[in-house]
Amino acid sequence: MTTITGHTRVYGILADPIHHVKTPQVFHALARDEGIDAILVPFHARPEGVARLMDGLRAAENFGGFIATVPHKTTMLNLCDTVTEEAAQVGAVNCVRREADGRMVGAMLDGIGFVEGLRGAGIAPEGMRSYVAGAGGAASAVAFALAGAGVKSLTVTNRTRSKAEALCTRIAQTYPNLTLSTDPLDLAEQDLIMNATSLGMKPDDAMPLDTSQLHTGQVVAEAIMDPEMTPLLKAAKAAGCRIHTGLPMLQNQIRLMAQHMGAL
């Protein structure tokens, strides 16, 4: 894309806040490489206004769909007209296609993006003892994807423990043979540790997990893309861990998002 014209297809990303998102840059690089006449626009949508925004987007005939990120992934499940089986299983939506009649079709692609990002970096999750901090939309998608990738065990933690327990209950229904836990004290026993919370986006955020348990031999990964080096990743690097930033997760799902929205 070099010029926006009346033929340009419009897509969006909905978030609150919006300043940290990297999706427009990654999408536009894909559009350039594929020769797609499309643009992806950031929309700063607060939770109380996102339903009204979606009503407006339904009426925009040249609008193809949008990506949903924090804090809209779980609420988007009930705002879409229909969702994919994976999105229903996870309980969240991060990519929405606008059909020609204005209906919104939601999908969840965070999990596969994270797992493929790991594999692209030479990290095979199969057989790993894994730990996910968080129980929201992104965390749920990552947890299900790790379970599907064949991890040895999965620990899910959350500030509200009942949410972590509920997520583990859902995972157990699909993967009944997987060892599941919600105990944050077994962090030192893990091979792969993933922060799927928003803690780390702001300088004064608390750590999402107990960094004193980190040690050499562990892989510590982030969902956050800005800042690239969160306090967690800095602490993990200092502890001798291998670190995995948040950008590969987006880079590996952007093509799937473009396909779901009909851009490819």
Side-chain angles (χ1 to χ4, degrees):
M1 183 196 68
T2 56
T3 304
I4 299 173
T5 72
H7 298 285
T8 302
R9 193 73 171 160
V10 181
Y11 300 88
I13 177 167
L14 278 57
D16 178 31
I18 196 71
H19 63 83
H20 64 287
V21 299
K22 303 294 184 185
T23 312
Q25 300 95 303
V26 178
F27 181 90
H28 294 149
L30 176 66
R32 179 195 63 228
D33 293 345
E34 297 290 339
I36 304 167
D37 185 6
I39 183 172
L40 189 141
V41 181
F43 291 94
H44 186 184
R46 300 193 186 280
E48 62 271 19
V50 70
R52 295 197 306 275
L53 175 60
M54 285 182 66
D55 285 340
L57 296 176
R58 291 175 193 275
E61 297 295 336
N62 64 338
F63 187 77
F66 62 88
I67 295 161
T69 187
V70 178
H72 305 309
K73 294 181 183 182
T74 52
T75 57
M76 195 59 61
L77 191 73
N78 295 319
L79 294 177
C80 290
D81 297 292
T82 185
V83 300
T84 63
E85 182 179 352
E86 183 180 35
Q89 183 184 61
V90 170
V93 163
N94 79 327
C95 188
V96 179
R97 178 178 70 252
R98 180 194 176 277
E99 301 281 30
D101 60 4
R103 289 184 305 115
M104 297 292 192
V105 181
M108 170 46 76
L109 302 169
D110 272 340
I112 189 171
F114 175 65
V115 169
E116 290 306 309
L118 285 178
R119 289 180 173 144
I123 303 167
E126 291 84 357
M128 280 188 162
R129 295 165 296 181
S130 58
Y131 180 109
V132 176
S140 298
V142 166
F144 267 98
L146 287 173
V151 294
K152 180 179 181 179
S153 63
L154 177 61
T155 296
V156 178
T157 64
N158 194 65
R159 284 175 291 187
T160 305
R161 189 160 184 165
S162 60
K163 292 183 178 179
E165 291 170 345
L167 174 54
C168 285
T169 297
R170 299 205 314 273
I171 294 170
Q173 292 171 354
T174 305
Y175 302 98
N177 297 322
L178 180 62
T179 300
L180 293 161
S181 171
T182 58
D183 184 3
L185 299 180
D186 65 0
L187 183 65
E189 306 302 318
Q190 307 301 320
D191 303 310
L192 172 63
I193 298 161
M194 164 61 160
N195 174 36
T197 77
S198 60
L199 292 174
M201 289 175 59
K202 300 176 182 177
D204 58 347
D205 279 345
M207 283 289 187
L209 48 85
D210 180 8
T211 57
S212 69
Q213 296 191 54
L214 301 178
H215 56 79
T216 302
Q218 293 177 312
V219 177
V220 177
E222 267 284 8
I224 294 170
M225 286 173 281
D226 187 11
E228 180 180 17
M229 285 297 293
T230 61
L232 172 61
L233 291 185
K234 291 177 181 177
K237 186 175 182 179
C241 303
R242 178 175 180 178
I243 62 171
H244 185 74
T245 64
L247 188 58
M249 181 172 167
L250 172 61
Q251 291 172 327
N252 281 274
Q253 67 176 314
I254 195 67
R255 181 173 291 273
L256 293 172
M257 289 175 162
Q259 289 172 346
H260 177 73
M261 294 187 295
L264 286 178

